[in-house]
mmCIF file of all heavy atoms in Angstrom:
data_model
loop_
_atom_site.group_PDB
_atom_site.id
_atom_site.type_symbol
_atom_site.label_atom_id
_atom_site.label_comp_id
_atom_site.label_asym_id
_atom_site.label_seq_id
_atom_site.Cartn_x
_atom_site.Cartn_y
_atom_site.Cartn_z
ATOM 1 N N GLY A 14 18.225 -3.113 -1.162
ATOM 2 C CA GLY A 14 18.707 -3.685 -2.413
ATOM 3 C C GLY A 14 17.754 -4.685 -3.014
ATOM 4 O O GLY A 14 17.858 -4.998 -4.193
ATOM 5 N N ASP A 15 16.832 -5.242 -2.185
ATOM 6 C CA ASP A 15 15.849 -6.195 -2.706
ATOM 7 C C ASP A 15 14.596 -5.455 -3.153
ATOM 8 O O ASP A 15 14.233 -4.440 -2.578
ATOM 9 C CB ASP A 15 15.459 -7.211 -1.626
ATOM 10 C CG ASP A 15 16.612 -8.151 -1.303
ATOM 11 O OD1 ASP A 15 17.510 -8.270 -2.170
ATOM 12 O OD2 ASP A 15 16.613 -8.718 -0.197
ATOM 13 N N PRO A 16 13.909 -5.973 -4.151
ATOM 14 C CA PRO A 16 12.651 -5.335 -4.580
ATOM 15 C C PRO A 16 11.577 -5.529 -3.524
ATOM 16 O O PRO A 16 11.554 -6.526 -2.804
ATOM 17 C CB PRO A 16 12.306 -6.071 -5.870
ATOM 18 C CG PRO A 16 12.955 -7.408 -5.733
ATOM 19 C CD PRO A 16 14.226 -7.153 -4.964
ATOM 20 N N CYS A 17 10.652 -4.507 -3.410
ATOM 21 C CA CYS A 17 9.525 -4.612 -2.478
ATOM 22 C C CYS A 17 8.560 -5.673 -2.982
ATOM 23 O O CYS A 17 8.149 -5.655 -4.132
ATOM 24 C CB CYS A 17 8.812 -3.259 -2.368
ATOM 25 S SG CYS A 17 7.370 -3.328 -1.298
ATOM 26 N N ARG A 18 8.180 -6.579 -2.074
ATOM 27 C CA ARG A 18 7.315 -7.680 -2.489
ATOM 28 C C ARG A 18 5.847 -7.280 -2.566
ATOM 29 O O ARG A 18 5.011 -8.060 -3.001
ATOM 30 C CB ARG A 18 7.488 -8.849 -1.522
ATOM 31 C CG ARG A 18 8.874 -9.459 -1.584
ATOM 32 C CD ARG A 18 8.938 -10.761 -0.806
ATOM 33 N NE ARG A 18 8.666 -10.538 0.616
ATOM 34 C CZ ARG A 18 8.456 -11.534 1.482
ATOM 35 N NH1 ARG A 18 8.466 -12.788 1.061
ATOM 36 N NH2 ARG A 18 8.226 -11.272 2.750
ATOM 37 N N VAL A 19 5.524 -6.070 -2.124
ATOM 38 C CA VAL A 19 4.130 -5.622 -2.197
ATOM 39 C C VAL A 19 3.894 -4.699 -3.389
ATOM 40 O O VAL A 19 3.029 -4.936 -4.227
ATOM 41 C CB VAL A 19 3.718 -4.921 -0.884
ATOM 42 C CG1 VAL A 19 2.302 -4.377 -0.996
ATOM 43 C CG2 VAL A 19 3.823 -5.882 0.279
ATOM 44 N N CYS A 20 4.685 -3.621 -3.453
ATOM 45 C CA CYS A 20 4.432 -2.648 -4.522
ATOM 46 C C CYS A 20 5.395 -2.810 -5.694
ATOM 47 O O CYS A 20 5.219 -2.183 -6.733
ATOM 48 C CB CYS A 20 4.516 -1.220 -3.994
ATOM 49 S SG CYS A 20 6.170 -0.725 -3.514
ATOM 50 N N GLY A 21 6.442 -3.652 -5.527
ATOM 51 C CA GLY A 21 7.359 -3.872 -6.628
ATOM 52 C C GLY A 21 8.457 -2.856 -6.718
ATOM 53 O O GLY A 21 9.255 -2.891 -7.659
ATOM 54 N N HIS A 22 8.498 -1.916 -5.740
ATOM 55 C CA HIS A 22 9.555 -0.907 -5.778
ATOM 56 C C HIS A 22 10.925 -1.579 -5.715
ATOM 57 O O HIS A 22 11.183 -2.385 -4.836
ATOM 58 C CB HIS A 22 9.377 0.058 -4.601
ATOM 59 C CG HIS A 22 10.390 1.163 -4.571
ATOM 60 N ND1 HIS A 22 10.788 1.764 -3.405
ATOM 61 C CD2 HIS A 22 11.072 1.756 -5.569
ATOM 62 C CE1 HIS A 22 11.675 2.698 -3.676
ATOM 63 N NE2 HIS A 22 11.861 2.701 -5.001
ATOM 64 N N GLY A 23 11.795 -1.239 -6.660
ATOM 65 C CA GLY A 23 13.128 -1.828 -6.716
ATOM 66 C C GLY A 23 13.211 -3.000 -7.664
ATOM 67 O O GLY A 23 14.283 -3.521 -7.917
ATOM 68 N N SER A 24 12.076 -3.435 -8.206
ATOM 69 C CA SER A 24 12.086 -4.558 -9.144
ATOM 70 C C SER A 24 12.229 -4.040 -10.558
ATOM 71 O O SER A 24 11.743 -2.949 -10.894
ATOM 72 C CB SER A 24 10.774 -5.356 -9.003
ATOM 73 O OG SER A 24 10.688 -6.345 -9.990
ATOM 74 N N ALA A 25 12.889 -4.858 -11.387
ATOM 75 C CA ALA A 25 13.059 -4.446 -12.781
ATOM 76 C C ALA A 25 11.746 -4.501 -13.523
ATOM 77 O O ALA A 25 11.471 -3.714 -14.422
ATOM 78 C CB ALA A 25 14.096 -5.336 -13.466
ATOM 79 N N ALA A 26 10.921 -5.483 -13.182
ATOM 80 C CA ALA A 26 9.640 -5.631 -13.871
ATOM 81 C C ALA A 26 8.577 -4.853 -13.096
ATOM 82 O O ALA A 26 8.387 -5.073 -11.909
ATOM 83 C CB ALA A 26 9.248 -7.105 -13.943
ATOM 84 N N THR A 27 7.922 -3.888 -13.745
ATOM 85 C CA THR A 27 6.881 -3.054 -13.100
ATOM 86 C C THR A 27 5.626 -3.070 -13.943
ATOM 87 O O THR A 27 5.624 -3.506 -15.094
ATOM 88 C CB THR A 27 7.370 -1.609 -12.950
ATOM 89 O OG1 THR A 27 7.629 -1.067 -14.240
ATOM 90 C CG2 THR A 27 8.621 -1.554 -12.067
ATOM 91 N N THR A 28 4.524 -2.562 -13.340
ATOM 92 C CA THR A 28 3.240 -2.471 -14.056
ATOM 93 C C THR A 28 2.575 -1.172 -13.679
ATOM 94 O O THR A 28 2.810 -0.627 -12.602
ATOM 95 C CB THR A 28 2.308 -3.639 -13.697
ATOM 96 O OG1 THR A 28 1.057 -3.453 -14.363
ATOM 97 C CG2 THR A 28 2.033 -3.702 -12.197
ATOM 98 N N ASP A 29 1.723 -0.652 -14.544
ATOM 99 C CA ASP A 29 0.983 0.591 -14.298
ATOM 100 C C ASP A 29 -0.497 0.313 -14.098
ATOM 101 O O ASP A 29 -1.351 1.093 -14.485
ATOM 102 C CB ASP A 29 1.167 1.572 -15.466
ATOM 103 C CG ASP A 29 2.585 2.111 -15.519
ATOM 104 O OD1 ASP A 29 3.149 2.324 -14.430
ATOM 105 O OD2 ASP A 29 3.083 2.318 -16.631
ATOM 106 N N ASP A 30 -0.798 -0.799 -13.513
ATOM 107 C CA ASP A 30 -2.199 -1.169 -13.299
ATOM 108 C C ASP A 30 -2.769 -0.311 -12.171
ATOM 109 O O ASP A 30 -2.668 -0.651 -10.987
ATOM 110 C CB ASP A 30 -2.307 -2.652 -12.948
ATOM 111 C CG ASP A 30 -3.750 -3.124 -12.933
ATOM 112 O OD1 ASP A 30 -4.661 -2.279 -12.890
ATOM 113 O OD2 ASP A 30 -3.946 -4.348 -12.952
ATOM 114 N N ALA A 31 -3.366 0.853 -12.516
ATOM 115 C CA ALA A 31 -3.847 1.814 -11.510
ATOM 116 C C ALA A 31 -4.986 1.246 -10.679
ATOM 117 O O ALA A 31 -5.076 1.495 -9.480
ATOM 118 C CB ALA A 31 -4.294 3.099 -12.204
ATOM 119 N N ALA A 32 -5.879 0.471 -11.311
ATOM 120 C CA ALA A 32 -7.022 -0.080 -10.581
ATOM 121 C C ALA A 32 -6.558 -1.036 -9.497
ATOM 122 O O ALA A 32 -7.037 -1.007 -8.362
ATOM 123 C CB ALA A 32 -7.967 -0.787 -11.553
ATOM 124 N N ALA A 33 -5.614 -1.883 -9.847
ATOM 125 C CA ALA A 33 -5.094 -2.835 -8.868
ATOM 126 C C ALA A 33 -4.364 -2.104 -7.754
ATOM 127 O O ALA A 33 -4.458 -2.465 -6.580
ATOM 128 C CB ALA A 33 -4.165 -3.828 -9.552
ATOM 129 N N ALA A 34 -3.663 -1.045 -8.104
ATOM 130 C CA ALA A 34 -2.956 -0.260 -7.095
ATOM 131 C C ALA A 34 -3.938 0.391 -6.136
ATOM 132 O O ALA A 34 -3.721 0.434 -4.924
ATOM 133 C CB ALA A 34 -2.091 0.802 -7.776
ATOM 134 N N ALA A 35 -5.049 0.913 -6.676
ATOM 135 C CA ALA A 35 -6.046 1.565 -5.829
ATOM 136 C C ALA A 35 -6.677 0.571 -4.875
ATOM 137 O O ALA A 35 -6.916 0.870 -3.700
ATOM 138 C CB ALA A 35 -7.117 2.224 -6.697
ATOM 139 N N GLU A 36 -6.960 -0.661 -5.377
ATOM 140 C CA GLU A 36 -7.555 -1.675 -4.512
ATOM 141 C C GLU A 36 -6.589 -2.069 -3.401
ATOM 142 O O GLU A 36 -6.971 -2.243 -2.249
ATOM 143 C CB GLU A 36 -7.959 -2.903 -5.322
ATOM 144 C CG GLU A 36 -8.625 -3.972 -4.456
ATOM 145 C CD GLU A 36 -9.128 -5.144 -5.271
ATOM 146 O OE1 GLU A 36 -9.060 -5.081 -6.511
ATOM 147 O OE2 GLU A 36 -9.585 -6.117 -4.659
ATOM 148 N N MET A 37 -5.319 -2.204 -3.776
ATOM 149 C CA MET A 37 -4.332 -2.561 -2.763
ATOM 150 C C MET A 37 -4.209 -1.453 -1.725
ATOM 151 O O MET A 37 -4.113 -1.718 -0.518
ATOM 152 C CB MET A 37 -2.969 -2.804 -3.410
ATOM 153 C CG MET A 37 -1.876 -3.180 -2.390
ATOM 154 S SD MET A 37 -0.404 -3.767 -3.205
ATOM 155 C CE MET A 37 -0.997 -5.306 -3.890
ATOM 156 N N ALA A 38 -4.270 -0.178 -2.171
ATOM 157 C CA ALA A 38 -4.204 0.936 -1.226
ATOM 158 C C ALA A 38 -5.388 0.897 -0.272
ATOM 159 O O ALA A 38 -5.251 1.118 0.933
ATOM 160 C CB ALA A 38 -4.177 2.257 -1.990
ATOM 161 N N SER A 39 -6.576 0.580 -0.816
ATOM 162 C CA SER A 39 -7.780 0.557 0.015
ATOM 163 C C SER A 39 -7.735 -0.570 1.037
ATOM 164 O O SER A 39 -8.086 -0.396 2.205
ATOM 165 C CB SER A 39 -9.025 0.424 -0.873
ATOM 166 O OG SER A 39 -9.133 1.523 -1.748
ATOM 167 N N THR A 40 -7.293 -1.757 0.596
ATOM 168 C CA THR A 40 -7.215 -2.871 1.544
ATOM 169 C C THR A 40 -6.141 -2.615 2.590
ATOM 170 O O THR A 40 -6.306 -2.968 3.764
ATOM 171 C CB THR A 40 -6.940 -4.189 0.807
ATOM 172 O OG1 THR A 40 -5.743 -4.063 0.031
ATOM 173 C CG2 THR A 40 -8.095 -4.553 -0.108
ATOM 174 N N SER A 41 -5.065 -1.976 2.196
ATOM 175 C CA SER A 41 -4.031 -1.630 3.167
ATOM 176 C C SER A 41 -4.544 -0.586 4.152
ATOM 177 O O SER A 41 -4.175 -0.585 5.330
ATOM 178 C CB SER A 41 -2.789 -1.106 2.443
ATOM 179 O OG SER A 41 -2.262 -2.097 1.580
ATOM 180 N N LEU A 42 -5.409 0.310 3.682
ATOM 181 C CA LEU A 42 -6.015 1.317 4.542
ATOM 182 C C LEU A 42 -6.833 0.661 5.654
ATOM 183 O O LEU A 42 -6.847 1.127 6.796
ATOM 184 C CB LEU A 42 -6.900 2.256 3.707
ATOM 185 C CG LEU A 42 -7.629 3.368 4.452
ATOM 186 C CD1 LEU A 42 -6.634 4.310 5.143
ATOM 187 C CD2 LEU A 42 -8.509 4.165 3.477
ATOM 188 N N PHE A 43 -7.489 -0.462 5.331
ATOM 189 C CA PHE A 43 -8.257 -1.189 6.335
ATOM 190 C C PHE A 43 -7.380 -1.598 7.508
ATOM 191 O O PHE A 43 -7.737 -1.408 8.672
ATOM 192 C CB PHE A 43 -8.882 -2.448 5.705
ATOM 193 C CG PHE A 43 -10.268 -2.238 5.213
ATOM 194 C CD1 PHE A 43 -10.502 -1.602 4.010
ATOM 195 C CD2 PHE A 43 -11.357 -2.665 5.951
ATOM 196 C CE1 PHE A 43 -11.783 -1.402 3.548
ATOM 197 C CE2 PHE A 43 -12.644 -2.477 5.505
ATOM 198 C CZ PHE A 43 -12.855 -1.836 4.295
ATOM 199 N N ASP A 44 -6.229 -2.218 7.192
ATOM 200 C CA ASP A 44 -5.359 -2.701 8.259
ATOM 201 C C ASP A 44 -4.821 -1.551 9.097
ATOM 202 O O ASP A 44 -4.689 -1.664 10.316
ATOM 203 C CB ASP A 44 -4.199 -3.507 7.667
ATOM 204 C CG ASP A 44 -4.669 -4.887 7.223
ATOM 205 O OD1 ASP A 44 -5.564 -5.441 7.879
ATOM 206 O OD2 ASP A 44 -4.156 -5.389 6.215
ATOM 207 N N ALA A 45 -4.523 -0.420 8.440
ATOM 208 C CA ALA A 45 -4.040 0.749 9.180
ATOM 209 C C ALA A 45 -5.115 1.261 10.132
ATOM 210 O O ALA A 45 -4.825 1.664 11.267
ATOM 211 C CB ALA A 45 -3.625 1.848 8.199
ATOM 212 N N CYS A 46 -6.394 1.241 9.685
ATOM 213 C CA CYS A 46 -7.499 1.697 10.539
ATOM 214 C C CYS A 46 -7.747 0.723 11.688
ATOM 215 O O CYS A 46 -8.070 1.133 12.805
ATOM 216 C CB CYS A 46 -8.774 1.857 9.699
ATOM 217 S SG CYS A 46 -8.720 3.250 8.550
ATOM 218 N N LYS A 47 -7.583 -0.566 11.409
ATOM 219 C CA LYS A 47 -7.775 -1.577 12.460
ATOM 220 C C LYS A 47 -6.729 -1.422 13.550
ATOM 221 O O LYS A 47 -7.017 -1.565 14.748
ATOM 222 C CB LYS A 47 -7.710 -2.962 11.837
ATOM 223 C CG LYS A 47 -7.855 -4.091 12.852
ATOM 224 C CD LYS A 47 -7.739 -5.441 12.165
ATOM 225 C CE LYS A 47 -7.821 -6.586 13.182
ATOM 226 N NZ LYS A 47 -7.673 -7.902 12.526
ATOM 227 N N GLU A 48 -5.501 -1.127 13.150
ATOM 228 C CA GLU A 48 -4.404 -1.029 14.102
ATOM 229 C C GLU A 48 -4.259 0.380 14.682
ATOM 230 O O GLU A 48 -3.462 0.605 15.593
ATOM 231 C CB GLU A 48 -3.107 -1.452 13.418
ATOM 232 C CG GLU A 48 -3.132 -2.923 12.987
ATOM 233 C CD GLU A 48 -2.000 -3.280 12.032
ATOM 234 O OE1 GLU A 48 -1.119 -2.396 11.830
ATOM 235 O OE2 GLU A 48 -2.000 -4.387 11.494
ATOM 236 N N GLY A 49 -5.024 1.346 14.130
ATOM 237 C CA GLY A 49 -4.948 2.699 14.651
ATOM 238 C C GLY A 49 -3.709 3.449 14.254
ATOM 239 O O GLY A 49 -3.309 4.397 14.935
ATOM 240 N N ARG A 50 -3.094 3.060 13.133
ATOM 241 C CA ARG A 50 -1.898 3.738 12.636
ATOM 242 C C ARG A 50 -2.310 4.966 11.841
ATOM 243 O O ARG A 50 -2.453 4.931 10.616
ATOM 244 C CB ARG A 50 -1.078 2.790 11.783
ATOM 245 C CG ARG A 50 -0.417 1.644 12.533
ATOM 246 C CD ARG A 50 0.751 2.142 13.374
ATOM 247 N NE ARG A 50 1.710 2.895 12.589
ATOM 248 C CZ ARG A 50 2.667 2.350 11.828
ATOM 249 N NH1 ARG A 50 2.788 1.028 11.780
ATOM 250 N NH2 ARG A 50 3.509 3.113 11.164
ATOM 251 N N SER A 51 -2.519 6.088 12.530
ATOM 252 C CA SER A 51 -3.019 7.284 11.856
ATOM 253 C C SER A 51 -2.020 7.818 10.827
ATOM 254 O O SER A 51 -2.423 8.379 9.801
ATOM 255 C CB SER A 51 -3.342 8.375 12.881
ATOM 256 O OG SER A 51 -2.217 8.666 13.683
ATOM 257 N N ASP A 52 -0.709 7.616 11.084
ATOM 258 C CA ASP A 52 0.282 8.066 10.097
ATOM 259 C C ASP A 52 0.174 7.267 8.810
ATOM 260 O O ASP A 52 0.256 7.806 7.702
ATOM 261 C CB ASP A 52 1.693 7.982 10.678
ATOM 262 C CG ASP A 52 2.019 6.586 11.213
ATOM 263 O OD1 ASP A 52 1.076 5.787 11.440
ATOM 264 O OD2 ASP A 52 3.220 6.293 11.386
ATOM 265 N N VAL A 53 -0.074 5.967 8.954
ATOM 266 C CA VAL A 53 -0.234 5.126 7.768
ATOM 267 C C VAL A 53 -1.554 5.446 7.069
ATOM 268 O O VAL A 53 -1.633 5.476 5.841
ATOM 269 C CB VAL A 53 -0.178 3.634 8.159
ATOM 270 C CG1 VAL A 53 -0.364 2.756 6.934
ATOM 271 C CG2 VAL A 53 1.163 3.323 8.840
ATOM 272 N N VAL A 54 -2.593 5.690 7.858
ATOM 273 C CA VAL A 54 -3.891 6.074 7.279
ATOM 274 C C VAL A 54 -3.722 7.312 6.419
ATOM 275 O O VAL A 54 -4.181 7.363 5.270
ATOM 276 C CB VAL A 54 -4.925 6.329 8.400
ATOM 277 C CG1 VAL A 54 -6.188 6.975 7.828
ATOM 278 C CG2 VAL A 54 -5.286 5.038 9.114
ATOM 279 N N GLN A 55 -3.032 8.310 6.961
ATOM 280 C CA GLN A 55 -2.843 9.554 6.208
ATOM 281 C C GLN A 55 -2.032 9.309 4.940
ATOM 282 O O GLN A 55 -2.339 9.855 3.871
ATOM 283 C CB GLN A 55 -2.123 10.588 7.089
ATOM 284 C CG GLN A 55 -1.993 11.961 6.445
ATOM 285 C CD GLN A 55 -3.330 12.610 6.205
ATOM 286 O OE1 GLN A 55 -4.010 13.014 7.134
ATOM 287 N NE2 GLN A 55 -3.730 12.710 4.941
ATOM 288 N N ALA A 56 -1.000 8.446 5.050
ATOM 289 C CA ALA A 56 -0.168 8.166 3.873
ATOM 290 C C ALA A 56 -0.974 7.500 2.771
ATOM 291 O O ALA A 56 -0.871 7.855 1.598
ATOM 292 C CB ALA A 56 1.022 7.289 4.285
ATOM 293 N N TRP A 57 -1.794 6.496 3.140
ATOM 294 C CA TRP A 57 -2.595 5.818 2.107
ATOM 295 C C TRP A 57 -3.664 6.733 1.523
ATOM 296 O O TRP A 57 -3.968 6.662 0.331
ATOM 297 C CB TRP A 57 -3.235 4.548 2.686
ATOM 298 C CG TRP A 57 -2.286 3.398 2.767
ATOM 299 C CD1 TRP A 57 -1.860 2.754 3.873
ATOM 300 C CD2 TRP A 57 -1.639 2.767 1.669
ATOM 301 N NE1 TRP A 57 -0.977 1.742 3.560
ATOM 302 C CE2 TRP A 57 -0.824 1.734 2.185
ATOM 303 C CE3 TRP A 57 -1.628 2.960 0.285
ATOM 304 C CZ2 TRP A 57 -0.039 0.910 1.391
ATOM 305 C CZ3 TRP A 57 -0.845 2.139 -0.510
ATOM 306 C CH2 TRP A 57 -0.061 1.128 0.049
ATOM 307 N N LEU A 58 -4.207 7.600 2.333
ATOM 308 C CA LEU A 58 -5.174 8.577 1.803
ATOM 309 C C LEU A 58 -4.480 9.512 0.814
ATOM 310 O O LEU A 58 -5.042 9.859 -0.231
ATOM 311 C CB LEU A 58 -5.811 9.378 2.947
ATOM 312 C CG LEU A 58 -6.772 8.607 3.859
ATOM 313 C CD1 LEU A 58 -7.199 9.474 5.044
ATOM 314 C CD2 LEU A 58 -8.007 8.151 3.076
ATOM 315 N N ASN A 59 -3.259 9.914 1.165
ATOM 316 C CA ASN A 59 -2.494 10.772 0.246
ATOM 317 C C ASN A 59 -2.189 10.057 -1.064
ATOM 318 O O ASN A 59 -2.044 10.700 -2.113
ATOM 319 C CB ASN A 59 -1.186 11.215 0.906
ATOM 320 C CG ASN A 59 -1.420 12.170 2.064
ATOM 321 O OD1 ASN A 59 -2.494 12.761 2.177
ATOM 322 N ND2 ASN A 59 -0.414 12.324 2.929
#
């Protein structure tokens, strides 16, 4: 029921800033690779 504090999912106020989204996906990909979360790696690549 609460909005996502990272991607804004569930929030009334949204943005279509694709560049910022891509950067966030890439930085999140780093943490997934560091932790060895291959499922998360695949999701961010998708």
Side-chain angles (χ1 to χ4, degrees):
D15 291 339
C17 177
R18 294 190 297 169
V19 176
C20 68
H22 182 208
S24 173
T27 61
T28 177
D29 291 324
D30 189 344
E36 182 175 354
M37 180 169 292
S39 299
T40 56
S41 299
L42 179 61
F43 266 79
D44 284 326
C46 290
K47 178 182 178 181
E48 296 167 7
R50 291 288 306 279
S51 56
D52 54 343
V53 179
V54 170
Q55 185 64 70
W57 281 117
L58 290 173
N59 292 342

